[in-house]
Amino acid sequence: MDCITCHNRITHLVLPPADRVDQMLSRQLIDPAIPEIRLRGTEVLSATYASIPDALNGIAALKSFYQTTYPDYYSTNAAQVDAAIAALQGAYQDSTFPEQKSDWTTHPNNVGHKDFPG
């Protein structure tokens, strides 16, 4: 047992990926003008990775996505895309703890039965 075993609500609320991305968008930590950023951000935070370094690399792959899919946008907005990637990596690191087998799926918030059946 460790702290996260009991303390997983309110002060240790781990938001589902879509909610976390929404929160970062509303706080302007991620520029909402980036095409598809909500969808892509949610996908990379929802993915299963073997390790934290794998996750950070997987999230960093968004750079290639934007360079390939939106080259004109990326060429003039690289700093915003890079900032979004850094924010997503930070969000992953502060919500996923492989050594404790803990993430947004292991400690669900059943309030309102929105994301989990309760």
Side-chain angles (χ1 to χ4, degrees):
M1 257 176 86
D2 56 35
C3 59
I4 207 160
T5 304
C6 299
H7 296 278
N8 60 25
R9 296 292 180 274
I10 308 304
T11 57
H12 296 288
L13 181 62
V14 181
L15 296 174
D19 292 347
R20 187 67 187 264
V21 172
D22 286 345
Q23 183 184 69
M24 290 188 292
L25 287 165
S26 71
R27 292 181 177 173
Q28 300 293 312
L29 299 173
I30 294 177
D31 184 350
I34 300 172
E36 296 186 54
I37 193 60
R38 184 179 188 279
L39 172 66
R40 301 302 168 182
T42 300
E43 286 176 350
V44 296
L45 289 183
S46 298
T48 302
Y49 302 99
S51 66
I52 294 289
D54 287 346
L56 298 180
N57 288 332
I59 296 167
L62 282 175
K63 185 172 187 163
S64 295
F65 169 79
Y66 282 100
Q67 288 172 328
T68 303
T69 309
Y70 296 99
D72 293 337
Y73 179 85
Y74 184 80
S75 68
T76 57
N77 297 283
Q80 289 86 339
V81 173
D82 292 342
I85 290 168
L88 290 164
Q89 288 172 324
Y92 186 87
Q93 288 181 295
D94 67 15
S95 65
T96 304
F97 307 94
E99 66 283 352
Q100 296 171 328
K101 297 177 178 58
S102 177
D103 64 14
W104 68 278
T105 61
T106 58
H107 293 86
N109 180 355
N110 294 312
V111 174
H113 307 286
K114 177 182 162 270
D115 297 306
F116 298 93

